[in-house]
Amino acid sequence: MDTARGSSPATPSPPGPPRTRSGAAPSAGTKGVPRARREEQILAAAVEEFGRHGHAAASMASIARRVGVTKPLLYTYFGSKDGLYLACLEHIAHRLVTAVEAAMTPDPQGLGPAASHVPPRVLAAVFDVLEEQREAWFVLYDRTLKPGSDLHAAAHAHRAAIDGLAASGTADVLRGQGNEDPLDADALKHVWTGTVGALVGWWISHPEQSAPEMTARCARLLAAIRAPH
Amino acid sequence: MDTARGSSPATPSPPGPPRTRSGAAPSAGTKGVPRARREEQILAAAVEEFGRHGHAAASMASIARRVGVTKPLLYTYFGSKDGLYLACLEHIAHRLVTAVEAAMTPDPQGLGPAASHVPPRVLAAVFDVLEEQREAWFVLYDRTLKPGSDLHAAAHAHRAAIDGLAASGTADVLRGQGNEDPLDADALKHVWTGTVGALVGWWISHPEQSAPEMTARCARLLAAIRAPH
DNA sequence: CCGGTAAATTACCCAGAGGTAAATTACCGG
DNA sequence: CCGGTAATTTACCTCTGGGTAATTTACCGG
């Protein structure tokens, strides 16, 4: 009783291909899904599992089941649990960095956008990237990774690009205030990424909200926080 | 509510307790530590483990090892892993709620403190409670609990009291702005607790910082965020 | 039609973690 | 000095989960 068996997998079997003489057999052999597409499916399922439960609590068998496939396939494609995790890390880090970079350095003529317009733009970019895979954020920001492990280091490294962008933004805020304390800057950066995480967490528990709706809501909240009270 | 409270010595390693004929043997038999004190030690170790790695990734053996004791003792004292987790939950939820409540409704004569003074007061209270067990926060706010499980429900229930306090504070801010949207209020509450979590996370990675130092830093950061930029 | 290869499965192994029964050691009151 | 009880360990069971070897099924080019 190890892996998926019998009933139809997550994705309904593609309309044309293989299909043994019997109606729909969960037997061995190719299912006509090329490796590249399978890898995408596996990656998507893995991101969701890892993001939801954290690296340690996520199980390979569970990911395989979600895709409608068995464990060994994951191992032939990704080598190991850590290998799969690393692939997830790279995948989403790349997408997030690209989007956030674009949001922070936009219009070609002239300088960057006005400082106070940056946070909403960044949030919009993040929500857009995460729309279909909201848990992805928590793969990157997985607090349960054992400090000192390779994975912890890898996650830290992949976060570095995003954290760097966050740091440049928050540092400006503090410098404008005459605050040059590097620890304050580091802490504020942490608070910013933590806030994004909190927003994504809220979004996950409100699946009906669209990315643009989230963006609008965040604009309201940011305004409320900044107003004098 | 617990076990007998004796008049036995109270310092860490009692000067003259048991000790077999040999110098120091890891053998069976009592070590002279009364149940109540052992339970405290176990609870402390468990909070740290659960907070660091999340419920699923934490191991009983690891907790036992940290205390300098073996697994069966944990089971005779707390019944099961979930039982121990529940005990942790109750312990820290109680301490946090008490402290935050006190911070939000202080001076007996007159109304509560000025609205803008509340957040720093709450943070000070939280940092004070968590000073010696910073990871405790993440036992309460453990994102890796499987939704639908008993533990998830229990954690949610224990968070409820704190979240309620957060909600009352954040709702005021929004109402002062003319914003009555309940979803906005819920999201802002989530952002606030998330921010506290982010600050605690930063604190954990900077062990040399004292609670008062954290409080001061947060005051600076709050001011910086609220100032026009 | 035949073999090669890609896509998958079945059936395992093994370490580790939750959990338990039974024995062991020390103390304390009579 | 004796027995009861609290504190604690040793040794074990079992199930889950990462990981692997060998095998099966389907397609494709000659």
Side-chain angles (χ1 to χ4, degrees):
Chain A
M1 317 48 170
D2 205 0
T3 39
R5 182 149 219 150
S7 48
S8 49
T11 42
S13 340
R19 185 125 294 185
T20 329
R21 49 264 181 319
S22 54
S27 164
T30 183
K31 284 175 180 162
V33 181
R35 176 164 184 158
R37 203 184 327 282
R38 264 296 187 241
E39 282 180 342
E40 282 172 29
Q41 295 175 352
I42 294 173
L43 221 52
V47 163
E48 214 176 310
E49 278 285 301
F50 284 133
R52 230 198 275 285
H53 307 302
H55 170 270
S59 92
M60 290 285 119
S62 169
I63 294 170
R65 204 177 313 124
R66 197 184 282 253
V67 181
V69 138
T70 53
K71 261 195 311 175
L73 197 66
L74 306 202
Y75 284 92
T76 54
Y77 284 0
F78 292 94
S80 68
K81 185 182 189 180
D82 289 10
L84 180 53
Y85 190 78
L86 278 224
C88 293
L89 228 41
E90 280 167 36
H91 182 238
I92 67 153
H94 176 258
R95 303 203 340 153
L96 278 173
V97 168
T98 304
V100 173
E101 249 168 7
M104 287 182 78
T105 59
D107 40 35
Q109 83 283 26
L111 320 78
S116 68
H117 290 170
V118 168
R121 290 176 61 95
V122 170
L123 287 175
V126 170
F127 294 147
D128 187 57
V129 167
L130 298 182
E131 172 112 61
E132 298 301 321
Q133 285 203 314
R134 306 182 186 182
E135 351 269 351
W137 180 269
F138 299 106
V139 179
L140 254 189
Y141 291 86
D142 182 351
R143 249 191 37 77
T144 72
L145 261 25
K146 206 174 58 177
S149 67
D150 290 351
L151 259 25
H152 186 271
H156 190 76
H158 281 99
R159 268 195 307 259
I162 296 184
D163 283 3
L165 293 171
S168 82
T170 54
D172 289 348
V173 173
L174 288 180
R175 247 195 313 279
Q177 234 77 28
N179 184 334
E180 301 275 354
D181 187 329
L183 284 179
D184 275 14
D186 192 58
L188 187 54
K189 176 195 81 181
H190 212 86
V191 166
W192 168 247
T193 58
T195 300
V196 176
L199 286 166
V200 174
W202 186 86
W203 195 21
I204 288 174
S205 61
H206 292 74
E208 77 287 357
Q209 302 282 312
S210 70
E213 280 170 333
M214 279 301 288
T215 303
R217 190 181 304 285
C218 290
R220 285 196 300 277
L221 297 182
L222 269 178
I225 290 171
R226 286 209 276 239
H229 28 285
Chain B
M1 29 167 93
D2 251 337
T3 36
R5 180 126 292 171
S7 50
S8 20
T11 22
S13 36
R19 188 125 291 189
T20 329
R21 51 288 182 296
S22 54
S27 165
T30 183
K31 285 175 180 162
V33 180
R35 175 165 184 158
R37 200 177 337 274
R38 264 293 187 243
E39 283 180 341
E40 283 172 27
Q41 296 175 350
I42 294 172
L43 221 51
V47 163
E48 212 176 311
E49 277 286 301
F50 283 134
R52 231 198 274 285
H53 307 302
H55 170 270
S59 93
M60 290 285 119
S62 169
I63 294 169
R65 205 176 313 124
R66 197 184 283 253
V67 180
V69 137
T70 52
K71 263 195 308 175
L73 197 66
L74 306 201
Y75 284 92
T76 53
Y77 283 179
F78 293 92
S80 67
K81 184 182 189 179
D82 289 11
L84 179 53
Y85 189 78
L86 277 229
C88 293
L89 228 40
E90 279 167 37
H91 183 239
I92 67 152
H94 176 258
R95 304 204 339 155
L96 278 173
V97 169
T98 304
V100 173
E101 246 168 9
M104 287 183 78
T105 60
D107 39 36
Q109 82 283 28
L111 317 81
S116 67
H117 290 171
V118 169
R121 291 177 60 95
V122 170
L123 287 175
V126 170
F127 294 148
D128 187 57
V129 166
L130 298 183
E131 172 113 60
E132 297 302 321
Q133 285 203 317
R134 307 183 184 181
E135 354 268 351
W137 179 269
F138 299 106
V139 179
L140 254 189
Y141 290 87
D142 182 352
R143 250 190 35 77
T144 73
L145 260 26
K146 206 174 58 178
S149 68
D150 289 352
L151 259 25
H152 186 272
H156 189 77
H158 281 98
R159 267 194 308 257
I162 296 184
D163 284 3
L165 293 171
S168 83
T170 53
D172 290 348
V173 173
L174 288 180
R175 248 198 310 281
Q177 234 77 28
N179 184 334
E180 300 276 354
D181 187 329
L183 285 179
D184 275 15
D186 192 59
L188 187 54
K189 176 195 81 182
H190 212 86
V191 165
W192 168 247
T193 57
T195 300
V196 176
L199 286 165
V200 175
W202 186 86
W203 197 21
I204 288 174
S205 61
H206 292 74
E208 78 287 356
Q209 301 284 311
S210 72
E213 280 169 332
M214 279 301 288
T215 303
R217 189 181 305 284
C218 289
R220 285 196 300 276
L221 296 183
L222 269 177
I225 290 171
R226 286 211 275 241
H229 25 288

